[in-house]
Amino acid sequence: MKLSDLGEFGFINKIREKSHDISGVMLGIGDDAAATSITPGMALLSTSDLLTEGVHFRLDWSDPVTLGRKSLSVNLSDIAAMGGIPRYALLSIAVPAGFSMEFLSSFIDGFLQQAEKYSVSLIGGDTSASASGFFISVTLLGEQYPDRIVRRSGACNGDLVCVSGTLGDSALGLDLLKSGSYSKEQVIKHLDPTPRVELGTLLAELKIPTSMIDISDGLHADLGHILKASAKGAKICIDNTPLSDIFRNSVSKNSPDYYRFPLSGGEEYELLFTLHPSRLKDAEEAAAKAGTSVSVIGEITEESGLFLASADGSSYSAELNCYDHFALN
Ligand code: ADP
Ligand code: MG
């Protein structure tokens, strides 16, 4: 069956039937706008991401359920990076004529699976035809008490630079997907990242991070955003970046990718944050509770600039290109 057989309103009805409102939804899908409430005293956090076929995803690399999950995950990661609690999602899609209903139905299933897992209600969106390519725009609303919201701008001299989970896996996955030869476990983190929502909120509740960001552009670029916002510098030990067993087994230590992927690979969706050294133990406990880990990779300095060094102290100065949609590279 094609989307055109069901029609826009038939399709929206299907989405409505499948979705379950969690709490705080006074009016969900079906009217001109949704009506929702947030917890009294909390601030509303809003984030939006646009995923474009051929730029952010390829339909021959990902099954629709996984693509649906990732569409929400990348937004969940942004709310997590503020220390926020995700609440409501809006899903807008533009679909080429002739797209199968099976594909779209599975895509919605994946999206709703992830929504339910993180207690998010799908409260609306928009559906349009597309002249070419599949477009997915997700807006996610979250909440948090204003004094718990973690910005990019609070890093202090002497703070430790920490990262959750492991780095480099997503870049490795993307590289292998392009090569066409890979195992499922090598590409899973690229296609189906785990947003660190539980860790982000726990850290915020305990007021542990002085600054935080999620790694979507790559460690080098995203730490650069923290440093710029905080008007500080950092020293990073490149041998302290946490690596997964899959990564170690897939990339030779002699390959330039061994450092390049963890330092500049995008779409990791791990949390990068800074904290006072006295809070490290609390952060480690929070990470264990949230089912992940925290690694210290360096230190914030008063002097500006990002200095990368090996364990022996020698400086590391490879070209680290971060992905820029409009750069001529
Ligand atoms: P309008 O013409 O006022 O924009 P629509 O017919 O586009 O209304 O949408 C009807 C209802 O369905 C609205 O509540 C809207 O938020 C919801 N909706 C439309 N597309 C989607 C979608 N892809 N996912 C979730 N809800 C959707
Ligand atoms: Mg509409």
Side-chain angles (χ1 to χ4, degrees):
M1 188 157 71
K2 303 255 167 43
L3 178 56
S4 47
D5 300 326
L6 195 60
E8 182 189 335
F9 301 109
F11 176 63
I12 293 170
N13 244 336
K14 276 241 171 303
I15 299 178
R16 176 153 63 163
E17 279 164 20
K18 286 181 182 207
S19 60
H20 308 279
D21 292 341
I22 296 171
S23 68
V25 182
M26 293 173 259
L27 201 51
I29 296 172
D31 216 308
D32 295 310
T36 51
S37 61
I38 62 166
T39 306
M42 285 196 179
L44 183 68
L45 296 162
S46 313
T47 183
S48 193
D49 266 304
L50 176 64
L51 303 181
T52 305
E53 183 183 347
V55 178
H56 299 96
F57 63 89
R58 274 175 53 169
L59 296 177
D60 54 338
W61 285 353
S62 188
D63 64 86
V65 175
T66 307
L67 183 61
R69 270 205 301 269
K70 184 171 177 177
S71 306
L72 184 56
S73 297
V74 301
N75 287 275
L76 286 165
S77 181
D78 279 320
I79 294 290
M82 304 302 291
I85 303 155
R87 296 290 310 265
Y88 308 116
L90 294 143
L91 169 64
S92 297
I93 51 177
V95 189
F99 238 51
S100 85
M101 210 37 238
E102 286 71 33
F103 180 96
L104 282 175
S105 189
S106 301
F107 169 80
I108 299 292
D109 288 345
F111 187 93
L112 291 174
Q113 244 179 40
Q114 198 70 334
E116 203 171 336
K117 185 168 173 193
Y118 291 93
S119 304
V120 166
S121 301
L122 176 61
I123 56 165
D126 204 12
T127 307
S128 162
S130 159
S132 113
F134 183 32
F135 294 83
I136 309 160
S137 168
V138 177
T139 297
L140 185 61
L141 307 174
E143 61 180 18
Q144 187 52 281
Y145 292 106
D147 65 338
R148 290 183 181 176
I149 292 171
V150 190
R151 300 160 194 236
R152 297 177 175 183
S153 57
C156 298
N157 189 21
D159 278 358
L160 302 178
V161 179
C162 299
V163 66
S164 67
T166 57
L167 297 181
D169 304 289
S170 183
L172 168 68
L174 179 60
D175 192 58
L176 294 175
L177 282 163
K178 284 182 186 158
S179 80
S181 157
Y182 51 84
S183 68
K184 198 175 168 212
E185 59 169 16
Q186 285 174 314
V187 299
I188 191 90
K189 204 174 163 194
H190 180 75
L191 297 177
D192 196 7
T194 302
R196 301 296 182 191
V197 175
E198 205 184 337
L199 177 62
T201 18
L202 262 177
L203 291 172
E205 270 169 27
L206 299 167
K207 298 199 174 156
I208 293 173
T210 51
S211 69
M212 186 151 67
I213 192 169
D214 68 319
I215 303 184
S216 53
D217 296 336
L219 171 66
H220 185 264
D222 289 317
L223 181 55
H225 296 318
I226 284 189
L227 299 181
K228 186 157 185 255
S230 302
K232 292 283 178 288
K235 258 197 301 213
I236 297 299
C237 177
I238 63 167
D239 291 302
N240 286 353
T241 53
L243 304 176
S244 67
D245 290 340
I246 297 168
F247 186 90
R248 286 181 203 278
N249 293 333
S250 307
V251 185
S252 153
K253 234 192 142 167
N254 301 319
S255 160
D257 295 338
Y258 189 83
Y259 288 112
R260 223 163 42 84
F261 285 167
L263 292 174
S264 65
E267 294 201 75
E268 290 291 346
Y269 302 111
E270 293 296 346
L271 293 178
L272 172 67
F273 54 99
T274 55
L275 47 74
H276 189 270
S278 66
R279 303 302 309 272
L280 178 59
K281 203 164 162 286
D282 296 337
E284 286 168 345
E285 280 170 16
K289 216 166 149 188
T292 181
S293 57
V294 161
S295 305
V296 176
I297 58 168
E299 200 183 298
I300 296 294
T301 59
E302 196 55 53
E303 194 185 338
S304 66
L306 176 50
F307 182 67
L308 304 174
S310 308
D312 65 10
S314 59
S315 89
Y316 174 86
S317 58
E319 278 268 309
L320 294 172
N321 289 328
C322 94
Y323 188 73
D324 180 330
H325 282 277
F326 300 105
L328 300 170
N329 54 20

